[in-house]
Amino acid sequence: MPRITLPDGSVREYPHPVTAAQVAVDIGPGLAKAALGAKIDGALSDLNALIDHDAKLAIVTPKTRDGKPDPDALFLIRHSAAHVMAEAIQRIVPEVQLVYGPPLDSGYYYDMAVPAERPLTSGDFEAIEAEMARIVAEDRPFTRYELPAHEGMEKLEDEGSKYKLDNAHRALEAGSRSLSWYATGAPKANWEDLCRGPHVPSTGRIGAFKVMSLASSYWHGDENSDRLTRVYGTAFAAQSDLDAYLAQVEEAKKRDHRLLGRQLRLFHIDEMVGQGLVLWTPRGAVVRQELQSFISEELRKQGYHQVFTPHIGKLDLYRTSGHFPYYRESQYPPLVDHDQLSRLADEGCSCSELSNRMAKGEIDGYLLRPMNCPHHIRIYASEPHSYRDLPVRLAEFGTVYRWEQSGEIGGMTRVRGFTQDDAHLFCREDQVEEELLGCLSLVKTIFRTLDIKEYRVRVGLRDPDSSKYVGEPDNWDKAERACRKAAATLGVPFTEEPGEAAFYGPKIDFVVRDVIGREWQLGTVQVDYNLPIRFDLNYVGADNQRHRPVMIHRAPFGSMERFIGVLIEHFAGAFPLWLSPEQVRVMAISEKSLDYAKEVLHALREARVRATLDESSERIQAKIRVAAEEKVPYMAIVGPRDAESRQVSVRVRGEMKDHGAVGLEAFVAGIAKEIASRGAERAV
């Protein structure tokens, strides 16, 4: 007799196993009509999933109680839309072989092996959507059925898809004793796909959908494996939600940092240099330098010391820290001494044997650093410390290198080489709380200055079932308590997410939402009791005994590349005056005023304003248009009358009106004041 506990705490008892759909009917016809799925003991399920035990049940509907789209409902809708899209594509191109198609935060995709003689193009989208509309209109049920493992494998072998066989093998290796399919309609009569589910009750419940784009991908993300076609789509419960999302996408295209980065000449990625390796152009370097100067001012106030460390380190350094070989898949291959490599080659050492001997520590070498922390640890360890010296705060804009699959690289937000505004604090245990608050205040200062308001706070904790975490449970408990307490001071809600901790300690992450709702982890603060143990760090306490410091890792910007990529989109390339690569453009109405225009330029530059002079022969309206397209914050326009009166006519980016004539000295002083105040005071 299952007892069903509902979200409001009420309990319903049944004399026999019951489905979530039946419970919804019993609660009320309105809920039953709106229901898309269920959460049974926290796990998302089909409405027809049978409940034969005491359980907690929540019915999933398109909207939450506060009227917002329910993420669980979107998952169900998009997973189901991926199936409908795959069926539609196979109707159009029957030779297509399906690989896998998961839902995403913004939609879904399906990877497919497409025949070379019939590739999919954007020209197929209209036909695909038309077929999808027909399938949705048929309102066929999503019907789940299961087969024992051996029968399921026989079925897949008969069908002959190596991709589905591989999916099935992986499911069985993960512990499944059976294999499940979902048919859109009747099993073995209508279209079906190997799938764990869950799905909405029927195709008619999908709502509004759209095929969005195509991309190339690789089977299992391996560049040496089969090349696939990835078809992206999105789906929502209602057309109004889809329309709002598509409007966001159009706005995001205008703000795309890759497009704006080229237009505004901020950065360049060159195939001869390598994918995911950013070349900062002079204009982009200005933005980066200004941000670095900004945070450096704040660090000086908090008593940080700037350090510089090399871009490589010995493998033993990273063996001690735990980064090598355990995170080898995200690192560049080690560098081995030429003479040692020659000797190993002469001995007939194979590549696999070389890799194994490196992992065991039998061969030394160097590694492009994946983290800055081991270098800072060795600086701390280079001299003795007393309890009076602590905290020791070491800061560096340190570049690190991570191996990312080529399909995952994107502009400045996913790169292979990036610079962190990194710092490591070594403190006594009684100082942890105060130091954490200081680190969090840096992040808040950055977000306030840059007008970043759409973010959430995540406390990443260890997963008790995972083996990736190092250190004593008691130390983890203390570190996690410190993170929770510090996060509670921020005045914003935060979530606790097991499994999101670093391998050495818990962390507080600031996750920023961009213009189309994507989330990016930027600032982070981490509490670490473990690396000081691994490196045997110590200080002499008031009792004249040796004690272990606690280490805090923090990076308010996170990756400079990612942060600036997100910032370009946040401002749509129109940076505030203090950050703009070019702050004022001076332009003369005619050659008669050119000498005075040069005087204006000189006055601005003397005040350390980044100003340029448009000396082109274009008409003044054309000059204004170019400056607007290049998102220059201020234009100083001069003509004969301005020269006589020692004034400039001012135009402000984004405003159609002319602010009129302003005295040259007052204008220069106003610009300098706005820059110095980082926008708190306006020039005009």
Side-chain angles (χ1 to χ4, degrees):
M1 180 181 293
R3 298 179 79 251
I4 308 299
T5 303
L6 300 173
D8 63 0
S10 63
V11 176
R12 290 177 178 263
E13 295 189 7
Y14 291 86
H16 47 68
V18 65
T19 65
Q22 290 171 317
V23 176
V25 169
D26 291 345
I27 294 172
L31 180 63
K33 184 177 180 180
L36 293 174
K39 294 193 86 168
I40 302 171
D41 291 329
L44 193 59
S45 305
D46 298 325
L47 269 178
N48 288 327
L50 200 63
I51 307 171
D52 59 3
H53 59 284
D54 292 353
K56 293 182 179 179
L57 173 67
I59 303 300
V60 176
T61 59
K63 301 286 185 181
T64 59
R65 290 188 177 183
D66 58 3
K68 295 180 179 178
D70 189 311
D72 290 322
L74 288 175
F75 181 98
L76 293 165
I77 289 168
R78 289 165 179 170
H79 194 184
S80 303
H83 275 229
V84 169
M85 184 182 75
E87 178 179 357
I89 290 172
Q90 285 194 316
R91 284 184 179 183
I92 295 167
V93 188
E95 298 81 12
V96 162
Q97 291 190 60
L98 304 177
V99 184
Y100 29 62
L104 305 168
D105 287 343
S106 59
Y108 58 87
Y109 72 78
Y110 216 118
D111 278 351
M112 305 177 178
V114 177
E117 65 276 8
R118 176 56 173 93
L120 290 174
T121 70
S122 58
D124 293 312
F125 289 0
E126 186 176 345
I128 294 169
E129 290 174 352
E131 286 295 335
M132 291 177 70
R134 279 188 273 273
I135 296 166
V136 168
E138 291 167 6
D139 197 21
R140 287 184 270 134
F142 279 96
T143 309
R144 178 188 174 98
Y145 72 93
E146 293 189 18
L147 294 176
H150 68 281
E151 287 185 30
M153 292 304 294
E154 287 176 2
K155 170 180 168 61
L156 292 170
E157 285 166 3
D158 289 341
E159 292 173 357
S161 170
K162 68 177 183 179
Y163 304 111
K164 293 301 178 181
L165 279 167
D166 179 76
N167 292 347
H169 278 299
R170 287 170 176 264
L172 297 177
E173 288 170 1
S176 295
R177 296 184 179 181
S178 61
L179 296 172
S180 59
W181 276 259
Y182 276 81
T184 46
K188 302 179 183 178
N190 293 108
W191 186 91
E192 59 186 41
D193 195 10
L194 178 74
C195 180
R196 289 181 302 177
H199 288 281
V200 296
S202 65
T203 60
R205 301 300 304 279
I206 286 174
F209 55 85
K210 188 167 183 62
V211 182
M212 299 294 293
S213 62
L214 296 170
S216 292
S217 62
Y218 296 94
W219 194 22
H220 300 319
D222 183 354
E223 296 177 23
N224 299 314
S225 189
D226 294 8
R227 192 180 184 92
L228 305 172
T229 296
R230 178 168 292 180
V231 189
Y232 285 96
T234 193
F236 290 86
Q239 185 65 43
S240 58
D241 293 334
L242 175 60
D243 291 342
Y245 172 75
L246 294 177
Q248 271 191 327
V249 170
E250 286 305 308
E251 179 63 21
K253 287 178 182 177
K254 300 173 190 174
R255 293 172 176 254
D256 189 323
H257 76 277
R258 294 165 297 184
L259 175 65
L260 289 172
R262 286 193 300 272
Q263 288 178 353
L264 303 177
R265 307 187 302 284
L266 298 172
F267 68 93
H268 176 59
I269 296 175
D270 194 295
E271 286 299 320
M272 286 190 70
V273 176
Q275 283 190 321
L277 301 172
V278 176
L279 300 175
W280 293 86
T281 60
R283 293 171 64 85
V286 167
V287 179
R288 174 169 165 165
Q289 287 171 331
E290 287 294 334
L291 287 171
Q292 290 184 186
S293 296
F294 164 48
I295 194 66
S296 294
E297 286 178 21
E298 299 299 321
L299 297 185
R300 283 191 287 273
K301 294 175 187 176
Q302 291 197 12
Y304 281 79
H305 301 286
Q306 186 78 38
V307 298
F308 299 92
T309 60
H311 290 229
I312 63 172
K314 292 181 70 173
L315 282 178
D316 274 347
L317 178 70
Y318 300 105
R319 288 189 181 109
T320 302
S321 70
H323 292 103
F324 184 85
Y326 305 110
Y327 296 88
R328 189 165 45 187
E329 72 281 353
S330 62
Q331 298 165 1
Y332 277 83
L335 309 169
V336 182
D337 177 82
H338 288 169
D339 293 338
Q340 187 178 20
L341 198 58
S342 296
R343 287 196 303 272
L344 292 167
D346 291 341
E347 294 169 9
C349 179
S350 67
C351 291
S352 60
E353 184 183 352
L354 176 66
S355 179
N356 289 334
R357 291 174 67 178
M358 277 186 177
K360 293 176 182 177
E362 297 172 3
I363 297 174
D364 206 356
Y366 287 82
L367 190 68
L368 278 171
R369 64 178 178 190
M371 294 282 188
N372 299 306
C373 36
H375 295 257
H376 292 187
I377 287 171
R378 297 313 299 165
I379 291 177
Y380 175 88
S382 66
E383 57 182 303
H385 295 279
S386 159
Y387 70 97
R388 294 187 182 91
D389 302 330
L390 271 54
V392 173
R393 307 182 186 97
L394 304 178
E396 177 180 15
F397 291 98
T399 302
V400 297
Y401 303 89
R402 312 273 176 85
W403 179 256
E404 297 276 4
Q405 296 289 343
S406 61
E408 297 175 344
I409 293 171
M412 298 177 77
T413 53
R414 289 293 293 269
V415 291
R416 288 174 172 163
F418 56 92
T419 302
Q420 296 175 306
D421 62 321
D422 220 349
H424 296 92
L425 294 72
F426 303 86
C427 62
R428 304 190 308 265
E429 193 167 340
D430 64 297
Q431 295 172 321
V432 169
E433 182 177 338
E434 183 179 356
E435 292 304 305
L436 275 178
L437 294 178
C439 293
L440 296 180
S441 74
L442 281 174
V443 181
K444 290 193 290 185
T445 297
I446 289 169
F447 285 7
R448 181 175 62 252
T449 303
L450 294 169
D451 197 33
I452 295 173
K453 298 174 182 176
E454 291 294 318
Y455 68 91
R456 65 183 179 89
V457 177
R458 174 178 68 199
V459 177
L461 308 174
R462 71 193 185 281
D463 179 352
D465 297 325
S466 173
S467 60
K468 88 169 188 178
Y469 303 101
V470 299
E472 295 298 321
D474 286 349
N475 285 338
W476 272 93
D477 290 342
K478 286 187 286 187
E480 289 181 346
R481 281 197 298 272
C483 285
R484 288 188 181 98
K485 189 173 181 180
T489 69
L490 289 168
V492 296
F494 65 90
T495 58
E496 296 184 9
E497 299 188 25
E500 289 296 327
F503 76 92
Y504 46 74
K507 57 180 181 171
I508 304 169
D509 291 331
F510 289 79
V511 184
V512 173
R513 184 180 293 273
D514 70 12
V515 289
I516 60 167
R518 296 171 303 183
E519 290 191 328
W520 301 100
Q521 187 220 305
L522 298 179
T524 187
V525 181
Q526 305 167 359
V527 179
D528 179 5
Y529 280 78
N530 291 304
L531 288 186
I533 295 172
R534 295 174 79 96
F535 282 93
D536 194 25
L537 301 184
N538 59 71
Y539 67 91
V540 177
D543 57 1
N544 210 32
Q545 300 298 310
R546 293 187 181 277
H547 297 269
R548 194 78 69 192
V550 181
M551 190 172 169
I552 296 175
H553 310 240
R554 71 107 193 95
F557 289 133
S559 154
M560 296 297 291
E561 284 74 8
R562 174 176 290 182
F563 190 90
I564 292 175
V566 172
L567 210 58
I568 291 169
E569 298 186 359
H570 176 67
F571 289 119
F575 293 107
L577 181 67
W578 68 277
L579 264 185
S580 291
E582 181 182 352
Q583 294 167 322
V584 179
R585 184 167 298 178
V586 183
M587 50 190 78
I589 292 176
S590 69
E591 283 191 25
K592 295 176 183 178
S593 309
L594 193 55
D595 287 342
Y596 177 60
K598 290 178 180 178
E599 287 185 46
V600 173
L601 177 68
H602 178 74
L604 288 163
R605 287 183 172 176
E606 282 290 300
R608 304 183 70 178
V609 176
R610 293 186 291 274
T612 64
L613 172 61
D614 186 342
E615 295 189 65
S616 70
S617 58
E618 296 288 342
R619 299 174 72 86
I620 192 63
Q621 288 304 321
K623 292 180 180 182
I624 291 170
R625 184 170 60 253
V626 170
E629 289 171 354
E630 296 183 358
K631 301 184 186 294
V632 180
Y634 284 98
M635 294 170 239
I637 303 166
V638 298
R641 290 182 182 176
D642 298 301
E644 289 175 11
S645 58
R646 309 292 295 171
Q647 294 181 319
V648 295
S649 295
V650 180
R651 290 183 70 103
V652 180
R653 178 184 60 202
E655 297 182 10
M656 299 302 294
K657 66 179 181 179
D658 190 324
H659 280 260
V662 178
L664 176 57
E665 289 185 7
F667 175 67
V668 172
I671 292 291
K673 184 169 61 176
E674 183 173 339
I675 292 169
S677 68
R678 295 195 172 93
E681 298 182 65
R682 295 297 303 272
V684 295

